[in-house]
DNA sequence: CAGTATCCAAAGGGATACTG
DNA sequence: CAGTATCCCTTTGGATACTG
């Protein structure tokens, strides 16, 4: 295993990792991304239904943060009452690799912890 | 972009991702892993010095959790006073890919957010 | 429908002091 | 050296009710 130079590159690497973690943190963030990703476009109440246990307050908060981080795009349709849909941005879609890695590692990890 | 089936695979995938995130969460976890990784073997007080801002309470907590998750190995040496060193397990070393991905994505993300 | 606002309990985490 | 223990403030997030 090779690790990058702790003294020299460490600060930068650390900041980069922390940036990623900050974006992904929050109890429901990845669930929200997955929901929007699968359906391509998804409305507020639909996502609320997709994710088991999430409250409207939390969904609202997570969506705002994802939008601030330019991972999703929010579109208001001029209907009565208003309809809003969310979709992933191009940048949001680049998360796919990370999400897949996290999935694969999580499965392996569970096996290590539970044992065989 | 292809996304896995939301209805069918979603629960499993979600759990796997959450498992990974749980392991990596905590303000200092990745910093601790990086420190131990770079130096191969590292003592408590050394790690404390490596990571800017961490308290002994938090370091103690993070180390315990990492050990519970079998990512690091704790060895007590019979000296006076006691010496303890920490090293990554084989399982801990498999995190390298994820850490690299998080680093790369974090750098790209920063560029997207700051803009050009 | 798509959120906000409010209240409140639990968890996270910093500072400091202490122990074998 | 390698941690524990304590205090205490901040953040997180659930439940519920309300709004344009």
């Amino acid at each position: 295993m090779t690790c990058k130079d702790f003294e020299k590159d460490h600060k930068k690497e650390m900041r980069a990792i922390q940036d990623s973690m900050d974006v992904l943190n929050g109890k429901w963030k990845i669930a929200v991304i997955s929901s929007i990703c699968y359906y391509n476009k998804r409305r507020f109440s639909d996502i609320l239904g997709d994710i088991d246990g999430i409250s409207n307050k939390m969904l609202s908060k997570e969506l705002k943060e994802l939008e601030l981080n330019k991972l999703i795009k929010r579109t208001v349709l001029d209907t009565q009452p208003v309809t809003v849909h969310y979709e992933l941005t191009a940048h949001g879609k680049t998360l796919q690799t990370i999400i897949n890695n996290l999935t694969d590692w999580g499965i392996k990890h569970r096996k290590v912890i539970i044992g065989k």
Side-chain angles (χ1 to χ4, degrees), chain A:
Chain A
M1 173 188 209
T2 57
C3 295
K4 292 178 183 172
D5 189 310
F6 193 83
E7 300 296 351
K8 186 169 148 244
D9 290 337
H10 193 251
K11 288 263 162 75
K12 268 190 173 174
E13 189 184 340
M14 230 50 170
R15 198 188 57 181
I17 295 172
Q18 205 47 61
D19 286 346
S20 298
M21 294 298 285
D22 288 349
V23 167
L24 263 16
N25 269 350
K27 196 168 175 180
W28 312 98
K29 217 138 283 171
I30 296 181
V32 172
I33 293 171
S34 293
S35 166
I36 297 174
C37 170
Y38 178 63
Y39 291 105
N40 248 334
K41 286 182 182 173
R42 203 71 176 148
R43 290 177 311 161
F44 189 88
S45 54
D46 292 332
I47 304 173
L48 208 53
D50 290 337
I51 304 171
D52 209 54
I54 196 171
S55 66
N56 54 352
K57 172 184 159 186
M58 277 303 108
L59 178 55
S60 174
K61 191 188 160 207
E62 303 285 49
L63 286 169
K64 271 183 189 163
E65 292 175 9
L66 291 172
E67 201 191 350
L68 264 173
N69 278 312
K70 299 186 180 172
L71 299 179
I72 61 173
K73 185 173 176 292
R74 179 178 181 272
T75 311
V76 182
L77 302 180
D78 192 16
T79 55
Q80 186 56 274
V82 287
T83 307
V84 177
H85 66 232
Y86 294 92
E87 56 196 310
L88 289 188
T89 61
H91 181 48
K93 290 176 186 173
T94 65
L95 273 174
Q96 192 63 32
T97 307
I98 285 193
I99 289 180
N100 289 341
N101 286 147
L102 288 169
T103 306
D104 295 343
W105 193 85
I107 291 168
K108 279 185 212 151
H109 177 62
R110 181 167 282 264
K111 284 180 190 159
V112 170
I113 295 303
I114 295 177
K116 32 209 109 184

